[in-house]
Every structure is written in C-alpha cells, then in structure tokens.
Amino acid sequence: MSLSVKIKKKLPGFELDVAFECRGTLGILGASGCGKSMTLKSIAGIETPDEGRVVLGERVLYDSAGKQCLKPQKRRVGYLFQDYALFPNMTVEENIASGLKRSKIQKRERTQEMIRRFRLQGQETKYPGELSGGQKQRTALARILAYEPEVLLLDEPFSALDSFLRDQLLWELTEMLKSYPGDVIIVSHNRDELYELSEEILVMEAGKGIQFGTAGEVFRKPEYLETARLTGCRNLSRARRISEREVEALDFGCILRTGEDIPADITHVGIRAEDFKPWKEEGENCFHPVAASVREKPLEVQVTFRNKGKEGREICWKLSREAWEKSRAKAVPPCLRVSPEAVLLLRERPKREEIGGNS
C-alpha cells in the first residue's frame, strides 16, 4: 500500500506546498515551524488543506476538486502526538481500549494483546501521570496500533524524552516498525533519529519539499545549502568555480579539488566535521589549523580552528575520543586534509523552487 500526498495550505508567513509518495518508512526532516506537523495533521484529517489530494492505497482521504474529505475516524490513520495525548483520567488499559469498536470480549482480548506486546504488564491500572516517559510512549503506540491503522504518523516521537531514554526507545521503535505492515511517516528535526528509522527522507524548508531520496543519498550528497545545514554539516563556505574539478572556498581561504565535476550554478561548498583527517605532507585540500580550541566530550572531541594565514570563518573538526587520545600528546596536528570526494557541492535554493517527492 502507498500513501500519495499533494497539498497546499496557507500558513502564517508562508504556504505549505508539498507533494510526495510514501511506500514504507518516510522521514520528514526540517527546522521547527517549517510545516512538518501541519503535513501530518492534514493527512490525518485534523487539519484541512486549502487544496490538493491525499490518497491511501485506493481510498481517497481528501480531494479538494471532488469535494471529498473523510473524517479522521474513517481514515484508518494512526497519529502519535508529540505529547502522546493520553486521556489523563483513564488508566493504561482504558486508554488502549478507548478507540476500539468491538464487542466487550474482543476489546478485552485485543487490549491484553497490546499490553503484552508493548511490555506494559503491571501498569494496567495506572494513570498517565504515574507513568514514565517510556511507558507513556508505549501506551500511546499500543492505543494507536490496537485498531490496526493502515498508516502510522509519528510527530516528534522522542522530543519529550531525555537522551538516555531516547536512545533506548529509538531502538525499540526500530524493532517494532519492522513488523508493522503499513506505511509510516516520522517527523523530526533530529537528523540522527530519521537516519536510523527511515528508508527515505523528505527535507522541508519554509513549507516546501527541497530534497527527496533514500536516507543514505540525502546525507551523502545534499543538493542544497539548506539540506546540508539540516543534515548536520557545520563547515559551509561561499564558493567560486575555477575549473571542472577546482573550486575556491571563499570563506575558508583555500582552493579545493573535488571528486566530481562542478556544476556551473554552484554557490557553496561544505565539509562535514568528521571528514577531516590528520596529514603529514603538504598537498591538495590541506588546511593548517591555527587559533585552535578543543572541547572534550565523553565520546568525541571537537576542535575549532582557523586556516593559517587566512581570515576566514572558524572551521570545525570532530574525531572520536579514542583517536584523540592516540594523537601525539593530544595536540592539534599541523595539517588536516579532506579528500576530494568529501567536498559537498551545494547551491542555494531559488525562492520558488520545489522538489517533489514522487518516486
């Protein structure tokens, strides 16, 4: 089954205008306020687009031209809100059973099945206020999946959790989704979550889809400056094309050789902080760190530096704690190099350009 979405809706400051198809697990990545949650609410029927069409399999959920708009209860769409939206005056057992339209016996059997599946034994009579963050999330998921929705929408599912619990539940959700037969859309501003959970990713900015592809493609080769930022690239510079394989990084104060031909409309280059490597000799794509500052974290080290003799912006290099401990006297090396293949070739997105996610 596939979910097809093509909708428009006027929002304060911009217009939501997205088009994509979901077959499997799709992640929507974007900054807060870019229209991610409104997209989910429009699919679920909580909000109504101004125009467009939403089709799930062969069922039309919304069609402005045909004046068709199914009520949320008839869409068979499961929506997990950021705050889980559990009924505070209902127990875990009552929350899970609340959406079921079955006989008493069937409802009780299905509720017990979901309690076992989500490891909520012993919590049946507790109220949401007595549950941990993880227990609340599992209760909310159990309630949604109890009535077997054909598509599952997860809106920032880990935003209310601390980092330790987030990592634990991220693994649990990954395992759960393997057995879920329907389509899944996950909205987040956290790139790591989406990379782990999603087969494909749609990047959104100011209501528009600006890049669509497999998770690996989007992270490995962002097309736009905005996509590079959202996928975690911190080292970005204005660029001037010199030749087919050479570009001047104006803000880094150096010329970089690339691993592929440089398009004529390039405006920026990017280097991920993890792609710098210590280097012994002078050569292409070399940086000479000066005015370096070091931040040591439990599992990684972040070095911020400027390129010697250049009045460019600060550059960030990240490496594992283990690699830092093995370096000479834990010192910043005199030379760092980035391979031509690691230089990201980027362009700014024209204001009216939209990238559809149809595949």
Side-chain angles (χ1 to χ4, degrees), residues 12-27:
F14 64 89
E15 181 182 48
L16 177 65
D17 185 356
V18 291
F20 61 86
E21 287 190 10
C22 173
R23 296 185 182 93
T25 304
L26 170 69

Side-chain angles (χ1 to χ4, degrees), residues 254-266:
C254 63
I255 293 175
L256 297 172
R257 185 157 184 83
T258 65
E260 59 182 303
D261 289 347
I262 301 166
D265 60 350
I266 184 176

Side-chain angles (χ1 to χ4, degrees), residues 51 87 121:
E51 61 179 280
F87 297 111
Q121 297 96 324

Side-chain angles (χ1 to χ4, degrees), residues 191 234-235 273-274 292-305 314-321 324 332:
R191 61 186 183 273
R234 294 185 55 181
N235 302 312
E274 299 83 3
S293 62
V294 179
R295 288 182 61 197
E296 298 190 31
K297 298 181 180 181
L299 300 178
E300 70 174 23
V301 173
Q302 179 177 304
V303 179
T304 303
F305 66 92
E314 288 186 331
I315 301 168
C316 179
W317 170 41
K318 285 184 181 180
L319 67 162
S320 70
R321 179 80 187 202
W324 176 251
V332 178

Side-chain angles (χ1 to χ4, degrees), residues 305-329:
F305 66 92
R306 295 186 184 276
N307 200 9
K308 185 178 180 180
K310 313 296 180 183
E311 293 191 3
R313 64 181 52 176
E314 288 186 331
I315 301 168
C316 179
W317 170 41
K318 285 184 181 180
L319 67 162
S320 70
R321 179 80 187 202
E322 181 182 7
W324 176 251
E325 296 290 348
K326 289 180 179 178
S327 65
R328 292 183 302 171

Side-chain angles (χ1 to χ4, degrees), residues 9 12 19 27 31 45 68 78 113 115 117 132 157 168 176 199 247 253 255-256 295 310:
K9 185 176 179 65
Q68 185 171 353
E113 177 189 345
I115 285 172
R117 180 176 172 183
S132 67
Q168 178 185 343
M176 185 210 74
E199 298 165 342
V247 62
I255 293 175
L256 297 172
R295 288 182 61 197
K310 313 296 180 183

Side-chain angles (χ1 to χ4, degrees), residues 100-111:
L100 295 174
K101 306 297 182 185
R102 306 184 181 190
S103 68
K104 277 190 176 182
I105 294 176
Q106 290 175 327
K107 185 182 288 190
R108 186 181 306 114
E109 289 176 348
R110 183 62 172 165
T111 300

